[in-house]
Amino acid sequence: MPEPHTHYFEVEMRLSGFNKKTVDLKMPTWAPGSYLIREFAKNVEGFEALNGGTKVPATKINKNTWRVSTKGKDLTVRYKVYAYEVSVRTSFLDASHGYINGTSVFLYPDGQVNLPSTVTIVPFNGWTKVSTGLPSVAGKEFTYQAADYDILADSPFEIGNHEIFTFTTNGVPHEVAMYGDANYDAKRLMADMQKVTEEAVKVFGELPVKRYVFIVQNLQNGGGGLEHLNSTTLQATRSTYGTERGYEGFLNLVAHEYFHLWNVKRLRPIALGPFNYDQENYTNMLWVSEGFTSYYADLIVKRSGYTTVKEFLDDMAAGITSAENSPGNKAMSAAESSFNAWIKQYRPDENSYNTFLSYYSKGAILGMLLDLEIRKSTNGAKGLDDAMDGLYDEYYKKKGRGYTDNEFQEGMEKAAGHSLNSFFQKYAYGVETPDYNAYFATVGVQLVDVNKDSNDPLLGAGISMTSGKPVVTSVTRNGSAWQGGLNVQDEIIGMNGYRVTEDINKIIPSYAVGDVVELVVSRGGQLMILPIKLLKNQTVKYQAQMLPNATEAQKKQLQAWLDSKK
C-alpha cells in the first residue's frame, strides 16, 4: 500500500509446485455472511503473471477467473485492488488506515481452496500495527499463516496506528483494535465487552478458539458488523458511546457478532460451508443464522445486566409491532425471506416494505417464541439454550458438518420433547400470525395493543421533504393511498384546495375515517387530482405488561428466561 491516498492495495501472489501448463486463478463474487453477489473482480487492475522474471500469458476467461500459463514452473502474479468502499463486507484504504476483507483482495487457484498460504503485510510507512485473527509466523514481522483459503478469506486485517486493548474470557485472549477517534472509555468498554462475551460463552459452555479479535472502526456515520471464524469487524459512529442507549446498542452489536462465533461459523445450515465463492449459496435457514443471533444479542445484553426486564420487554414488543405492521410479513415466510436474501435483503426498493420482511427481525421473533415454547413444554427445565447447545454438539462437534432444515427442526423438538411441526409449518414456512399471548403466558407477560380501540384514519404513505417539496417515498399495500392511486415519487402540491409545504401525514389526524381528501400531485411533471378516501388505521402498537395475576411459577420462569445462565 505505497500510496494509500490512491486507495490501491498492491498484491503479489507466489505459487509453487503447480505442474500443469495452466492454472486458473479466481476471485470470490461474494463475502460469506453477506448474501449478495458483489463482483469483487471489478476492482482488480494491472493483472500480470511472471515466470522466472519473464511475463507469461494471462487471460481473463470469465468475470472472476484468470487463466495463467505456468510452463510447469513456479509463478508470480501481481495485481492491484481498488479499495474505497466503507463497509464491513469490502476492503478500504486511505491515508489513515487500511482494511482488508479477504474475499475482495485475495485470489485462489481454482479447485484448490484447501492449500495453505503465508501472507506478509507491508504497511505504509509510519503505520506500525496489524490486527488479524490469523496466527503469526514466528520471527517474521507482519507475516501470518492460513491453513487454507477459507480461513484466509475469513480473517480480515486492520492496518495502521489504531489503539489496541485486550481482555481474557474463559482463558482465551481477546484483542480489540479500535480505529478512529471516538468518545469511548477504554477501561469501561473493555470490562463490558468481557462481560458480554462471558455471557455468550455460557450458552454453549465452551469457547472454540484460541484467540479472538474485534476490529472496531469508528466513523462519522457507521453501523453494522460481519462475523468471521475467530474475529469480527464492527462499525460504529464516533459518538455512539456518549449516550447510554447508544452504548447499549454497541454492546448489542458486540453480542450479535460474537454469538456468530457459534451460530453460523460452526453451527450452520449445511449450505453455508464449504463455500462456493462463484455463485449464490442458497438456504432457507437465515432466519435461524441471523434472526436467532439477533434474539440472543438482546438476551445476552439483558443477562449481562445492561438492560432491565422492562427495557427488554419493551424492545421485544416494539419488534413484534414493527413486524406485524409490515405487509411483507404476510407476503413472505421466514424461510422464503432467507432463500431470497440474495435478491431482497441488500437490494431494497420502494416496494420492499410490501413484499419482504427481513429474516433478522422475523427470525428473532420466532427464536423467542421457540424459547418460550420449550420452556413451557419442559416446565422450565430446558430452553432454547439447550436446543442450540444440543445442535452444536451433534453437528459441529460430532459430525463436523452443517444441519439440514429437518435436522434443525428435530433438534428443537428434542429439547421441547414433542413435535413442533405445526409451529414450523405455520410460522417458519408459512405466514400465519402467532397467538403471542399464548406463548408469553408462560412467563407471566401479555401483549396489549394500545391501538385496538382507536378509530383514527391513516394515509398509508411515506413522505419525505426533498428540496423543500413533499415527495412520496412509499405506499402501503391496501392502505388509503394505495387504493386512491398515489404513487411513489409523486410530488404533493396541494390538498383540498390549499398549497402543501409539509408532510401531509401531520394533517391527516385532523380528518375522520371515511373522509375524502383531494390531492393535487405532480407525476413526472404532469399535474393530476387524486381523491383519496381515508381508511381506518389498522396498525397495532403493542406494549408488554406483566399479568396482574401472574403466579409465582410464571415469575420464576421469567427470571430463568432473562437472567444469567448458571
Side-chain angles (χ1 to χ4, degrees), residues 459-475 481 485-508 517-524 526-530 532:
L459 179 63
I463 297 173
S464 69
M465 299 304 293
T466 304
S467 300
K469 301 173 182 178
V471 177
V472 178
T473 56
S474 64
V475 179
L486 195 64
N487 285 2
V488 168
Q489 297 180 4
D490 284 352
E491 177 192 342
I492 299 176
I493 305 294
M495 185 172 77
N496 290 351
Y498 291 91
R499 177 76 167 157
V500 169
T501 57
E502 63 178 344
D503 181 351
I504 63 172
N505 283 303
K506 299 176 182 178
I507 309 171
I508 294 299
V517 294
E518 195 171 77
L519 299 184
V520 178
V521 304
S522 172
R523 182 177 296 167
Q526 180 180 1
L527 295 180
M528 55 185 64
I529 298 174
L530 299 176
I532 295 180

Side-chain angles (χ1 to χ4, degrees), residues 424-440:
F424 275 81
Q425 292 306 313
K426 288 180 179 179
Y427 311 138
Y429 300 104
V431 294
E432 291 190 35
T433 301
D435 181 355
Y436 291 108
N437 282 330
Y439 291 93
F440 292 129

Side-chain angles (χ1 to χ4, degrees), residues 390-401:
L391 285 164
Y392 173 79
D393 186 64
E394 179 70 17
Y395 294 102
Y396 170 66
K397 296 179 69 175
K398 292 181 180 177
K399 295 184 177 177
R401 65 169 175 84

Side-chain angles (χ1 to χ4, degrees), residues 284-285 287 329-330 332-336 362 366 370 405-410 412-413 419-434 439:
N284 292 320
M285 302 300 287
W287 63 275
N329 189 37
K330 299 303 178 190
M332 186 174 290
S333 70
E336 289 175 311
K362 200 160 189 174
L366 295 184
L370 277 170
D405 297 15
N406 288 336
E407 287 169 341
F408 177 82
Q409 181 176 327
E410 289 167 1
M412 294 292 110
E413 291 173 338
S419 172
L420 292 171
N421 194 57
S422 178
F423 181 99
F424 275 81
Q425 292 306 313
K426 288 180 179 179
Y427 311 138
Y429 300 104
V431 294
E432 291 190 35
T433 301
Y439 291 93

Side-chain angles (χ1 to χ4, degrees), residues 213-411:
V213 177
F214 289 95
I215 295 173
V216 184
Q217 297 173 350
N218 298 292
L219 310 169
Q220 180 178 3
N221 297 296
L226 187 66
E227 70 276 5
H228 299 282
L229 193 65
N230 68 334
S231 64
T232 185
T233 302
L234 313 176
Q235 290 186 344
T237 57
R238 298 187 184 108
S239 60
T240 197
Y241 313 93
T243 65
E244 285 306 306
R245 194 63 174 173
Y247 188 76
E248 176 196 315
F250 179 75
L251 293 180
N252 190 285
L253 178 61
V254 169
H256 182 107
E257 300 304 334
Y258 193 72
F259 194 77
H260 274 314
L261 194 156
W262 298 271
N263 192 32
V264 172
K265 299 315 298 183
R266 287 164 179 83
L267 174 61
R268 59 176 176 78
I270 202 163
L272 298 185
F275 296 116
N276 182 333
Y277 292 105
D278 277 348
Q279 62 186 44
E280 297 87 346
N281 292 227
Y282 292 102
T283 175
N284 292 320
M285 302 300 287
L286 293 181
W287 63 275
V288 173
S289 298
E290 291 293 351
F292 277 33
T293 302
S294 293
Y295 167 60
Y296 265 105
D298 293 341
L299 202 57
I300 288 166
V301 171
K302 166 62 190 74
R303 290 174 175 175
S304 299
Y306 298 108
T307 53
T308 65
V309 171
K310 183 180 184 305
E311 288 171 336
F312 178 87
L313 294 178
D314 285 348
D315 287 345
M316 173 201 71
I320 294 174
T321 295
S322 177
E324 291 302 328
N325 286 335
S326 169
N329 189 37
K330 299 303 178 190
M332 186 174 290
S333 70
E336 289 175 311
S337 175
S338 300
F339 194 86
N340 285 309
W342 297 92
I343 57 174
K344 289 281 189 178
Q345 178 72 27
Y346 297 97
R347 290 174 175 166
D349 60 27
E350 67 279 355
N351 198 41
S352 294
Y353 179 67
N354 293 316
T355 64
F356 180 77
L357 182 66
S358 171
Y359 45 80
Y360 283 83
S361 52
K362 200 160 189 174
I365 293 170
L366 295 184
M368 176 176 56
L369 296 183
L370 277 170
D371 198 352
L372 295 173
E373 173 63 26
I374 294 169
R375 291 175 184 279
K376 177 184 177 181
S377 301
T378 62
N379 198 28
K382 292 183 179 180
L384 189 60
D385 290 0
D386 301 280
M388 296 295 282
D389 187 31
L391 285 164
Y392 173 79
D393 186 64
E394 179 70 17
Y395 294 102
Y396 170 66
K397 296 179 69 175
K398 292 181 180 177
K399 295 184 177 177
R401 65 169 175 84
Y403 54 76
T404 66
D405 297 15
N406 288 336
E407 287 169 341
F408 177 82
Q409 181 176 327
E410 289 167 1

Side-chain angles (χ1 to χ4, degrees), residues 21 65 137 158 162 184 188 192 219 237 271 308 328 388 427 497 560:
K21 292 182 178 180
T65 309
V137 175
E158 176 64 33
H162 46 277
Y184 62 88
R188 178 191 180 192
D192 291 343
L219 310 169
T237 57
T308 65
M388 296 295 282
Y427 311 138

